[in-house]
Amino acid sequence: MISDGEVLRELLAEGVSPWLGGLCRSLLAPGRLAALVREAGVRGATSHPRALAADVARGTAYRQQLSHLACRSVPLDTSVQALCAYDLRSACDELLPVFVSTQGRDGHVSMDLDPRLAHDARATAVAAVALNRAACRPNALVKIPATDEGIVAVGDCLARGIGVHVTEIFSVRRYERVVDAYFDGLERALAAGRDLAAISSLASLPVARLDAEIDARLRASGAGTAEPGTASPAVARLVYRLYEERLGSERWRILAAAHAHPQRLMWEVDTPEDPAPAVPYVAGLVAWGTVSVMSEATLEAVARGCRLQGDTLSGEAEAARAVVTGLERRGVSLEEVAKKLETDGVDRLVSSWRALRGAVDDRLRRPRG
């Protein structure tokens, strides 16, 4: 558990909600998630098929449910969906007090859909409806990658009243399309008579992966980089500026009058191999109303060694544009980087989902193993 949650409480005071990443059944052991909420101020959680696959393969947390599924000869894909839905329901129940106390601002849990559907808008929306129905919790969110088809599905899901966590966003231009889909979905929901206060959404940027790709390109080109890890904060500042601009629009004022919540920005700060590099991102991406999602190891590292410096995003758009211009002059096209990372991101999700299916299939074949 977190040895000292003072820094994380300071983060909350700055308006940044710490979320737990890599949610799986082991982290849902009695009292464990509740302790992270109490000691680290965790305000939400999100899963990843990679973490689920590892937990299924190495542990015993899923044994009872898998044995039950195996005895009834439940098909593999249905079994995977059943495990995910169970975790989503359980985590939503654990975080329901946060959801209630913050009036729906925090306390959410997001779960992936099968990423093989990422380029099929209709199939994604159908899967989202099924997961939302299986969860049957007001604080459940479905995760949808921001592919072209995924963005269409985001609007369709929101129009049906389904909360969405949009992932794999790597550029300001892509984020702008996600915001448009959010507004469009809420407007359609409002026209259908839905309660907008009951619809939530997140838009997340994997900042560590963005920097890793840009820094690698600079090294490969011979341009070098005196300060690695500076590109993604610049992109984050431009994204946050667009976020502020959209919340000042007439379109948003109409939605806000109908009690809509802003779509919150989330920073994915983790590098799975080592939590230490994530710590500067947490301190460097601070602004009111945002979210930083961290693994349990990163939460601990932040609690031990992070020094906050107040708001680092507001009013920094001009400096951020100068960084982006400098990268373009050195031969790094951020749009090309974003397209590559979007493709790679979906491929990684598909690979992780394949590993999850393989781990579940193995356990179904030997349920007492």
Side-chain angles (χ1 to χ4, degrees):
M1 289 302 164
I2 305 303
S3 56
D4 181 2
E6 182 61 31
V7 174
L8 293 161
R9 285 189 287 273
E10 290 176 12
L11 195 65
L12 269 171
E14 293 284 356
V16 182
S17 295
W19 275 39
L20 174 67
L23 179 73
C24 56
R25 192 72 56 89
S26 293
L27 288 171
L28 290 168
R32 191 168 179 188
L33 182 54
L36 287 171
V37 171
R38 182 178 63 253
E39 297 170 10
V42 165
R43 289 294 180 266
T46 181
S47 73
H48 193 284
R50 179 181 61 243
L52 298 178
D55 206 25
V56 170
R58 70 175 179 236
T60 61
Y62 292 93
R63 179 181 294 171
Q64 183 177 3
Q65 187 180 10
L66 284 166
S67 178
H68 176 87
L69 294 166
C71 288
R72 286 155 181 78
S73 301
V74 176
L76 173 59
D77 284 333
T78 306
S79 295
V80 172
Q81 292 162 9
L83 264 61
C84 291
Y86 185 97
D87 284 358
L88 181 55
R89 285 192 299 270
S90 299
C92 282
D93 289 344
E94 290 274 2
L95 284 159
L96 186 60
V98 177
F99 180 77
V100 172
S101 67
T102 61
Q103 299 181 312
R105 176 184 175 83
D106 269 317
H108 298 92
V109 182
S110 66
M111 179 68 67
D112 290 272
L113 303 173
D114 185 339
R116 294 174 298 178
L117 307 176
H119 296 290
D120 187 330
R122 183 178 178 280
T124 294
V126 169
V129 169
L131 180 59
N132 184 68
R133 185 179 294 125
C136 196
R137 299 294 188 273
N139 50 336
L141 303 176
V142 295
K143 293 172 74 173
I144 299 178
T147 61
D148 290 339
E149 300 83 359
I151 290 173
V152 174
V154 166
D156 291 343
C157 288
L158 292 164
R160 300 182 191 196
I162 298 171
V164 179
H165 175 181
V166 191
T167 65
E168 306 301 321
I169 302 170
F170 295 97
S171 71
V172 179
R173 185 174 297 177
R174 181 62 60 164
Y175 171 65
E176 186 172 20
R177 289 191 59 196
V178 170
V179 175
D180 286 340
Y182 182 59
F183 282 16
D184 175 69
L186 289 185
E187 288 163 349
R188 289 158 59 191
L190 182 61
R194 299 189 186 279
D195 179 11
L196 299 194
I199 306 173
S200 297
S201 184
L202 289 164
S204 62
L205 283 73
V207 290
R209 284 158 52 197
L210 180 59
D211 271 334
E213 177 66 24
I214 291 173
D215 292 347
R217 289 185 178 218
L218 288 170
R219 288 193 297 270
S221 69
T225 173
E227 284 189 83
T230 58
S232 71
V235 173
R237 287 171 178 134
L238 294 175
V239 165
Y240 190 74
R241 174 58 180 163
L242 179 57
Y243 163 83
E244 292 180 311
E245 289 175 352
R246 289 305 180 90
L247 291 186
S249 68
E250 179 62 24
R251 193 178 182 190
W252 174 250
R253 280 192 287 271
I254 294 170
L255 293 169
H259 309 293
H261 296 291
Q263 182 186 53
R264 299 174 76 191
L265 287 167
M266 171 186 277
W267 318 119
E268 296 181 32
V269 303
D270 269 311
T271 49
E273 297 79 11
D274 181 2
V279 174
Y281 286 120
V282 176
L285 297 170
V286 174
W288 192 264
T290 59
V291 177
S292 278
V293 61
M294 299 167 255
S295 67
E296 190 176 21
T298 299
L299 283 166
E300 178 69 46
V302 167
R304 288 197 313 266
C306 188
R307 297 293 178 268
L308 300 182
Q309 305 163 26
D311 187 334
T312 62
L313 299 180
S314 302
E316 297 291 336
E318 287 305 316
R321 290 190 187 96
V323 171
V324 170
T325 299
L327 289 170
E328 298 282 351
R329 286 173 178 165
R330 296 163 80 181
V332 176
S333 166
L334 291 188
E335 286 304 315
E336 287 181 8
V337 168
K339 288 178 183 177
K340 178 182 185 299
L341 288 175
E342 179 190 304
T343 300
D344 291 351
V346 173
D347 288 346
R348 285 157 62 122
L349 282 170
V350 170
S351 178
S352 296
W353 193 266
R354 187 181 302 118
L356 173 60
R357 293 178 77 252
V360 172
D361 188 38
D362 182 59
R363 292 293 182 174
L364 289 173
R365 294 174 186 275
R366 49 185 187 94
R368 299 183 184 277

